[in-house]
């Protein structure tokens, strides 16, 4: 196994494993179970509070092939869950806005949004560190 930073190696793989964000988890899981989730969520807060983890769990849950109607927890066993856990899903796109902060990167992202998911039910974009975007890039987003 390649060396991973601790927060990636021990990142929760299900909503029940998330600690300290019960109110956020309840809101998200209720929306997923009711199949009334929003097209976008904005997570804010200090470093290490689970913002990216929750975003990845939303993508994993929405794309889980074995999740039944009225449930929210991803199975962790289907191909989609395994790909997302390994960071290999082509339909869960995580962008580090601290490194890709210009308008050209946002234009490229917008071009990709036009296409339907390749393998999963939903295409999920996670824009991490969005506050690092340039003013022009943020306006384009």
């Amino acid at each position: 196994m390649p060396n991973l930073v601790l927060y990636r190696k021990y990142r929760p793989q299900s909503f029940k494993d998330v600690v300290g964000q019960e109110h956020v988890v309840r809101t998200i899981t209720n929306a997923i179970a009711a199949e009334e989730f929003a097209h976008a969520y904005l997570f804010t807060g200090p470093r290490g509070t689970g913002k990216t983890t929750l975003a990845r769990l939303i993508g994993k849950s929405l794309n889980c092939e074995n999740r039944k109607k009225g449930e929210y927890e991803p199975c962790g066993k289907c191909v989609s869950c395994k790909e997302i856990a390994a960071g290999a899903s082509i339909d869960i796109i995580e962008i580090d806005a601290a490194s890709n902060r210009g308008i050209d990167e946002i234009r490229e992202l917008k071009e990709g949004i036009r296409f339907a998911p390749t393998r999963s039910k939903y295409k999920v974009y996670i824009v991490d560190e969005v506050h690092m975007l340039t003013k022009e890039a943020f306006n384009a987003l």
Side-chain angles (χ1 to χ4, degrees):
M1 180 178 212
N3 290 334
L4 296 174
V5 288
L6 287 177
Y7 70 88
R8 289 209 176 144
K9 184 176 181 180
Y10 298 106
R11 175 173 272 160
Q13 295 299 313
S14 65
F15 288 109
K16 68 178 172 23
D17 296 333
V18 176
V19 178
Q21 298 296 334
E22 290 79 13
H23 59 295
V24 178
V25 170
R26 189 176 328 109
T27 302
I28 291 168
T29 56
N30 286 343
I32 292 170
E35 296 195 20
E36 294 183 3
F37 44 88
H39 76 281
Y41 288 90
L42 177 64
F43 295 105
T44 65
R47 199 170 146 203
T49 55
K51 300 176 296 290
T52 303
T53 295
L54 285 168
R56 292 179 62 80
L57 282 172
I58 289 171
K60 189 175 182 182
S61 183
L62 293 177
N63 288 314
C64 178
E65 298 162 11
N66 296 328
R67 186 176 59 85
K68 293 174 180 50
K69 190 174 179 105
E71 295 179 355
Y72 57 83
E73 208 60 86
C75 73
K77 297 175 182 158
C78 67
V79 174
S80 183
C81 283
K82 287 180 180 179
E83 283 181 351
I84 294 167
S89 175
I90 58 175
D91 292 320
I92 305 291
I93 299 100
E94 192 170 338
I95 297 134
D96 177 22
S99 303
N100 303 292
R101 54 189 307 260
I103 194 163
D104 291 334
E105 287 87 351
I106 297 304
R107 284 185 182 137
E108 192 175 311
L109 178 132
K110 286 171 62 176
E111 286 294 319
I113 289 172
R114 296 180 194 199
F115 301 105
T118 304
R119 191 192 152 339
S120 303
K121 187 174 181 180
Y122 296 97
K123 190 184 262 190
V124 177
Y125 286 88
I126 301 169
V127 184
D128 205 5
E129 303 288 337
V130 75
H131 66 280
M132 297 297 290
L133 290 173
T134 65
K135 180 180 176 183
E136 295 77 18
F138 191 80
N139 288 337
L141 182 63

